[in-house]
Each structure stands twice: as structure tokens, then as C-alpha cells.
Amino acid sequence: MKHHVTVGIDGSLESRAAAIWGAREASLREVPLRLVHAVEWPMSPAIPRLGRESADRWADEALTEASEAVRRRYPGLEITIRCLSGRPAAALAAEATDAGLLVLGSRGLGSLVGFFVGSVGMSTLAATETPVALVRPLRETGDTEPAGYGEIVVGVDIHEAADKLLSFAFEEAARRKCALRAVHGWKLPPAYEYIPFFDPDNERDIGRSVTQMLDDMLKPWRDEFPSVRADSQAFMGPAGSRLVQASVGADLVIVGRHLRRSPLGAHLGPVAHAVLHHATAPVAVIAHD
């Protein structure tokens, strides 16, 4: 069965942007689009007090508005809508089980929108192993479709397995027929802090070695996807800030997160955390061991 793309809808500008972006992704993948809203009952105190009938009617209107906006842009796309009862994070995670991608709206530069409450986005990340894309509102371009696809940027840690991350990144770049840039940030070993006169040649040697390790990691994927122009960029310094800079003008930024079950939510390293909260481009989070 073909995997569909699932989008969480809550009636906000963020979820509208997520619906349009998710529809574009579904069109690229040639799979159906599923728009989902979850109504928690009894409702949270953070949500305006509505009767059950009014709440259901509001949810139907939000889903209908989103689906109509998508159909105007992608008239041939297969679209289904679903209104569910239950905690939004759990409902979205369940819906994402057989999806190839889950798309959520994100405010960026702060907390995730989270379907009325800020914790839902993070709770959903923790509850699913499906790739999750977080999309900000299309403030600069309105609802117009971009003419083409920009660069895809992926943050890579050469010291960890990255098969899931690189598979997703290369497949996305191949679909878009766009360039891919793999970014890795490194730092000097702690022992070098105690060397009073550090030879700059050592730093250059380490940089060349790290770059070679990154290229070696990319080689199997470059061979499998010869149509994708994949550049590598290794530098000394924090990767998070460089990925945030690279997100300007990028079509998508891809980061990984470890599969660690925790009652406090998804485990996000400093790189993923920085990118999620500050990147200007959509961000895809890929869960891996």
C-alpha cells in the first residue's frame, strides 16, 4: 500500500501552511493526502468553552477550509479528512503509523504551535517514529506556490549511524531534482585545550580528516542517487547555528533525533533544538537509533 502524507489541522495559519506544504509533498510522492483534526473531550481549559456539537462543527469547518485550499492548488490530489476524538498527540501519532510523513504547523522562533497547546508538537514527536515535518506560515509569499525547489540541507553527525537520515534526505532531493548539502560541525578534542602553543596545521589536518569521513559516509548514497548533487560542508563550531543560517533560502532542513522513550517528551539534542526553534525553512525530524 502506498504511504500517504498526514497533516494535523487545528484551524491556525500554521496548520494552513502545513496543509499546503503537505499537499505539495504528497503530489511529489504521488500519494494521497490525509487531513486530520483531533477533538479532546472534555476540552482543555485553554480552549474556549464550546458545546460538543459546536466543537465538532468547528472542527469540520477547519478541515473543510483546509481541504478546499489544497484542492484549489492540487485539483488532482486524492484528499481525505478525518475528525477524531482523543488527545491530539496520541491521535496524530496513531494516524502517522502508516504514513510516510506527518506534517505539523510550527510558529518557529519559539515554541511549537501544538494544536492549541504548545506541548502537543513535542509530544507527537516523542510518540511517533514516522518522519515529522514542521512548517511555518507562508508570510512572505502568501499562498502562492514557489516556482521551483531550493536546496535541501541535512545535519549529519559522522560519529553516529545516519542511514535513515541520509535515505530521507537523498530521496527528498531526488524528488525535487534539487541540490543537497550535508553539514557537520566538529570541535577539537578536549586534550587540545591544555596545549599552550597549538599548531594551526593540526587544526587543518583534523578538518581534512573530518571532511573525508563525511564524504565517506555520503559515498554510498551518492552512488545510489547519481542525479543528486550532494555537497559536503564540515567546519569547526556548533552545527546548530550553521544549519539555522543555511535554512535561509533552503527548501527543507533535515535533522535527526534519538529514539529514546521519556515521559518528558522527545529527546532532542542541541542541534535539533536550535533548528526547530530558529530555522526559517520547513524542518523534517527523522527518528533513529
Side-chain angles (χ1 to χ4, degrees):
M1 184 180 72
K2 293 192 299 183
H3 287 308
H4 58 273
V5 172
T6 293
V7 181
I9 299 298
D10 69 352
S12 66
L13 289 175
E14 290 79 9
S15 74
R16 180 187 177 92
I20 299 300
W21 192 91
R24 195 180 190 206
E25 182 68 23
S27 180
L28 271 171
R29 295 175 177 228
E30 299 181 338
V31 298
L33 178 70
R34 181 182 296 176
L35 305 177
V36 178
H37 177 80
V39 178
E40 186 174 1
W41 197 266
M43 302 184 81
S44 165
I47 302 172
R49 295 183 179 181
L50 299 173
R52 182 61 183 267
E53 183 177 345
S54 297
D56 289 341
R57 183 169 60 252
W58 182 91
D60 288 339
E61 290 174 355
L63 286 167
T64 299
E65 179 182 351
S67 64
E68 289 177 350
V70 168
R71 290 184 197 281
R72 286 195 295 269
R73 293 161 181 78
Y74 300 93
L77 184 63
E78 179 184 343
I79 305 170
T80 59
I81 61 175
R82 299 191 67 179
C83 186
L84 309 173
S85 295
R87 297 184 62 185
L92 287 167
E95 284 295 308
T97 301
D98 61 343
L101 181 68
L102 173 64
V103 186
L104 304 176
S106 171
R107 285 177 182 164
L109 302 175
S111 61
L112 300 179
V113 169
F115 302 87
F116 295 116
V117 288
S119 63
V120 173
M122 294 300 292
S123 297
T124 305
L125 277 174
T128 182
E129 296 183 15
T130 299
V132 179
L134 299 145
V135 181
R136 294 181 62 189
L138 307 175
R139 291 190 180 93
E140 294 183 0
T141 58
D143 288 332
T144 60
E145 288 295 309
Y149 295 98
E151 178 184 54
I152 288 180
V153 179
V154 57
V156 180
D157 188 340
I158 62 174
H159 304 295
E160 296 183 353
D163 286 354
K164 289 185 178 179
L165 194 69
L166 292 176
S167 175
F168 185 90
F170 273 85
E171 287 175 1
E172 289 297 305
R175 290 190 188 102
R176 289 167 168 76
K177 297 181 175 60
C178 69
L180 175 66
R181 184 178 4 157
V183 174
H184 173 75
W186 60 275
K187 58 183 179 181
L188 292 172
Y192 282 92
E193 297 178 5
Y194 302 98
I195 300 176
F197 301 102
F198 180 69
D199 188 349
D201 287 340
N202 291 338
E203 180 180 324
R204 286 190 286 270
D205 290 342
I206 294 173
R208 283 192 290 267
S209 176
V210 170
T211 298
Q212 185 60 55
M213 293 173 68
L214 179 58
D215 283 333
D216 290 344
M217 182 175 281
L218 295 176
K219 186 180 185 308
W221 302 100
R222 285 169 166 159
D223 292 342
E224 183 175 347
F225 295 89
S227 65
V228 175
R229 193 191 79 203
D231 299 323
S232 59
Q233 182 181 27
F235 58 91
M236 189 170 71
S241 59
R242 188 62 63 94
L243 285 168
V244 170
Q245 293 173 14
S247 72
V248 179
D251 197 65
L252 179 66
V253 179
I254 305 170
V255 294
R257 77 165 182 88
H258 287 288
L259 278 172
R260 296 177 185 174
R261 302 300 181 187
S262 168
L264 300 179
H267 174 80
L268 293 175
V271 173
H273 186 274
V275 173
L276 274 175
H277 291 298
H278 298 287
T280 59
V283 178
V285 183
I286 312 301
H288 61 85
D289 296 325

